[in-house]
Amino acid sequence: MKTLKVALFSAVLFSGLAQANSTSLEVVKAYMAAWNEHNASKAAALLASDVTYYDAAAGEPVTGRNNAEKEVIGAFIKAVPNLKWTMTDKPVYDDDTVAFRWEFAGKNSGEWGGSPATHNAIKFEGVSYIRVKDGKITWQGDYYDSKKLDEELEPEKK
Protein backbone atom coordinates (compact mmCIF):
# COMPACT_ATOMS: atom_id res chain seq x y z
CA MET A 1 0.00 0.00 0.00
CA LYS A 2 2.85 2.36 0.89
CA THR A 3 4.45 1.71 -2.52
CA LEU A 4 1.19 2.57 -4.25
CA LYS A 5 0.92 5.88 -2.35
CA VAL A 6 4.53 6.78 -3.20
CA ALA A 7 3.96 5.90 -6.85
CA LEU A 8 0.76 7.96 -6.99
CA PHE A 9 2.42 10.94 -5.28
CA SER A 10 5.40 10.71 -7.66
CA ALA A 11 3.14 10.57 -10.70
CA VAL A 12 1.24 13.66 -9.59
CA LEU A 13 4.45 15.52 -8.71
CA PHE A 14 6.25 14.69 -11.93
CA SER A 15 3.24 15.41 -14.14
CA GLY A 16 3.02 18.83 -12.49
CA LEU A 17 6.74 19.43 -13.05
CA ALA A 18 6.51 18.32 -16.67
CA GLN A 19 3.58 20.67 -17.19
CA ALA A 20 5.45 23.57 -15.56
CA ASN A 21 8.53 22.96 -17.72
CA SER A 22 6.62 22.89 -21.01
CA THR A 23 4.19 25.65 -20.14
CA SER A 24 5.72 28.73 -21.76
CA LEU A 25 5.57 27.54 -25.37
CA GLU A 26 2.26 25.70 -24.87
CA VAL A 27 0.68 28.80 -23.33
CA VAL A 28 1.86 30.99 -26.22
CA LYS A 29 0.56 28.51 -28.80
CA ALA A 30 -2.83 28.35 -27.04
CA TYR A 31 -2.87 32.16 -26.85
CA MET A 32 -2.21 32.50 -30.59
CA ALA A 33 -4.85 29.85 -31.32
CA ALA A 34 -7.42 31.88 -29.37
CA TRP A 35 -6.51 34.99 -31.39
CA ASN A 36 -6.93 32.95 -34.59
CA GLU A 37 -10.33 31.73 -33.34
CA HIS A 38 -11.17 35.45 -32.96
CA ASN A 39 -11.98 34.87 -29.30
CA ALA A 40 -10.71 37.78 -27.18
CA SER A 41 -11.95 36.39 -23.86
CA LYS A 42 -10.31 33.01 -24.47
CA ALA A 43 -7.01 34.73 -25.31
CA ALA A 44 -7.31 37.03 -22.28
CA ALA A 45 -7.88 34.03 -20.01
CA LEU A 46 -4.24 33.12 -20.68
CA LEU A 47 -3.05 36.51 -19.36
CA ALA A 48 -2.09 37.16 -15.75
CA SER A 49 -4.41 39.63 -14.04
CA ASP A 50 -1.54 42.16 -13.85
CA VAL A 51 -0.15 41.51 -17.35
CA THR A 52 1.78 44.24 -19.13
CA TYR A 53 1.25 44.41 -22.90
CA TYR A 54 3.77 46.59 -24.72
CA ASP A 55 3.17 47.51 -28.35
CA ALA A 56 6.23 49.35 -29.66
CA ALA A 57 4.08 51.31 -32.14
CA ALA A 58 1.77 52.60 -29.39
CA GLY A 59 4.59 53.39 -26.97
CA GLU A 60 2.55 53.25 -23.75
CA PRO A 61 2.08 49.79 -22.25
CA VAL A 62 -1.38 48.49 -21.45
CA THR A 63 -1.60 46.95 -17.98
CA GLY A 64 -4.10 44.46 -16.61
CA ARG A 65 -5.95 41.55 -18.21
CA ASN A 66 -9.23 43.44 -18.71
CA ASN A 67 -7.49 46.39 -20.39
CA ALA A 68 -5.43 44.08 -22.63
CA GLU A 69 -8.56 42.16 -23.64
CA LYS A 70 -10.45 45.32 -24.54
CA GLU A 71 -7.74 47.69 -25.81
CA VAL A 72 -5.46 45.23 -27.60
CA ILE A 73 -6.92 41.80 -28.34
CA GLY A 74 -10.53 42.90 -28.78
CA ALA A 75 -9.51 45.98 -30.77
CA PHE A 76 -7.45 43.90 -33.22
CA ILE A 77 -10.17 41.27 -33.59
CA LYS A 78 -12.81 43.94 -34.16
CA ALA A 79 -10.66 45.72 -36.74
CA VAL A 80 -9.56 42.53 -38.53
CA PRO A 81 -12.25 39.90 -37.84
CA ASN A 82 -10.61 37.37 -40.16
CA LEU A 83 -7.12 37.87 -38.73
CA LYS A 84 -4.47 35.19 -38.97
CA TRP A 85 -1.48 35.42 -36.59
CA THR A 86 1.23 32.92 -37.55
CA MET A 87 4.68 32.05 -36.21
CA THR A 88 6.99 32.31 -39.23
CA ASP A 89 10.15 31.03 -37.61
CA LYS A 90 11.09 28.53 -34.95
CA PRO A 91 10.48 30.10 -31.51
CA VAL A 92 13.28 30.55 -29.02
CA TYR A 93 12.14 29.68 -25.51
CA ASP A 94 13.04 28.53 -22.02
CA ASP A 95 11.09 27.95 -18.82
CA ASP A 96 9.43 31.37 -18.71
CA THR A 97 10.17 33.22 -21.95
CA VAL A 98 9.19 32.75 -25.60
CA ALA A 99 10.42 34.89 -28.49
CA PHE A 100 9.37 34.43 -32.11
CA ARG A 101 8.91 36.06 -35.51
CA TRP A 102 5.37 36.28 -36.81
CA GLU A 103 3.11 37.45 -39.60
CA PHE A 104 -0.24 39.10 -39.05
CA ALA A 105 -2.66 39.14 -41.97
CA GLY A 106 -6.31 39.79 -42.72
CA LYS A 107 -8.73 42.42 -43.99
CA ASN A 108 -9.50 45.62 -42.10
CA SER A 109 -13.28 45.40 -42.11
CA GLY A 110 -13.90 46.98 -38.71
CA GLU A 111 -13.13 50.25 -36.94
CA TRP A 112 -9.51 50.60 -35.87
CA GLY A 113 -8.31 53.24 -33.45
CA GLY A 114 -11.36 55.41 -34.11
CA SER A 115 -10.95 55.25 -37.88
CA PRO A 116 -13.55 53.58 -40.10
CA ALA A 117 -12.74 50.33 -41.87
CA THR A 118 -10.74 50.70 -45.08
CA HIS A 119 -11.51 47.16 -46.28
CA ASN A 120 -7.85 46.90 -47.23
CA ALA A 121 -5.89 43.69 -46.94
CA ILE A 122 -3.09 43.98 -44.41
CA LYS A 123 -0.04 41.81 -43.94
CA PHE A 124 2.90 42.74 -41.76
CA GLU A 125 5.67 41.02 -39.84
CA GLY A 126 6.99 41.43 -36.35
CA VAL A 127 8.56 39.86 -33.31
CA SER A 128 7.01 39.07 -29.94
CA TYR A 129 8.77 38.55 -26.63
CA ILE A 130 6.50 36.91 -24.05
CA ARG A 131 7.09 35.99 -20.40
CA VAL A 132 5.00 33.26 -18.76
CA LYS A 133 4.66 32.45 -15.06
CA ASP A 134 2.43 29.76 -13.57
CA GLY A 135 0.75 29.16 -16.93
CA LYS A 136 -0.19 32.81 -17.51
CA ILE A 137 1.37 35.48 -19.73
CA THR A 138 2.79 38.20 -17.49
CA TRP A 139 4.45 40.40 -20.11
CA GLN A 140 4.21 40.71 -23.88
CA GLY A 141 6.21 43.01 -26.12
CA ASP A 142 5.37 43.31 -29.82
CA TYR A 143 7.79 44.95 -32.24
CA TYR A 144 6.84 45.51 -35.89
CA ASP A 145 6.97 47.93 -38.82
CA SER A 146 4.09 50.23 -37.88
CA LYS A 147 4.78 52.49 -40.88
CA LYS A 148 4.00 49.59 -43.24
CA LEU A 149 0.81 48.84 -41.33
CA ASP A 150 -0.23 52.51 -41.45
CA GLU A 151 0.33 52.54 -45.23
CA GLU A 152 -1.78 49.39 -45.66
CA LEU A 153 -4.58 50.97 -43.61
CA GLU A 154 -4.72 54.15 -45.67
CA PRO A 155 -8.02 54.57 -47.54
CA GLU A 156 -7.84 54.00 -51.26
CA LYS A 157 -7.35 57.26 -53.16
CA LYS A 158 -9.60 57.75 -56.13
Side-chain angles (χ1 to χ4, degrees), residues 42-58:
K42 185 175 180 180
L46 293 163
L47 303 175
S49 61
D50 61 347
V51 68
T52 297
Y53 188 104
Y54 177 74
D55 181 325

Side-chain angles (χ1 to χ4, degrees), residues 31-155:
Y31 178 64
M32 292 180 74
W35 274 74
N36 288 324
E37 292 169 14
H38 315 120
N39 189 332
S41 61
K42 185 175 180 180
L46 293 163
L47 303 175
S49 61
D50 61 347
V51 68
T52 297
Y53 188 104
Y54 177 74
D55 181 325
E60 287 294 316
V62 173
T63 56
R65 177 188 306 127
N66 294 337
N67 292 334
E69 179 178 354
K70 180 182 170 196
E71 298 172 28
V72 181
I73 303 166
F76 269 89
I77 291 172
K78 182 178 177 185
V80 187
N82 70 336
L83 70 84
K84 181 79 172 149
W85 186 24
T86 310
M87 274 189 201
T88 58
D89 216 344
K90 185 177 176 181
V92 177
Y93 60 95
D94 63 16
D95 291 340
D96 67 354
T97 305
V98 180
F100 58 97
R101 290 179 53 210
W102 49 258
E103 178 181 88
F104 188 95
K107 185 175 185 176
N108 173 224
S109 56
E111 179 185 312
W112 196 330
S115 298
T118 62
H119 302 285
N120 294 350
I122 61 168
K123 186 180 206 179
F124 61 102
E125 296 179 346
V127 175
S128 287
Y129 184 88
I130 299 175
R131 285 190 211 123
V132 178
K133 183 177 180 184
D134 299 327
K136 299 289 184 180
I137 295 170
T138 61
W139 194 89
Q140 179 174 348
D142 289 339
Y143 307 89
Y144 56 93
D145 184 351
S146 60
K147 184 176 182 207
K148 181 178 190 299
L149 175 60
D150 289 344
E151 290 170 357
E152 290 179 343
L153 288 171
E154 288 204 9

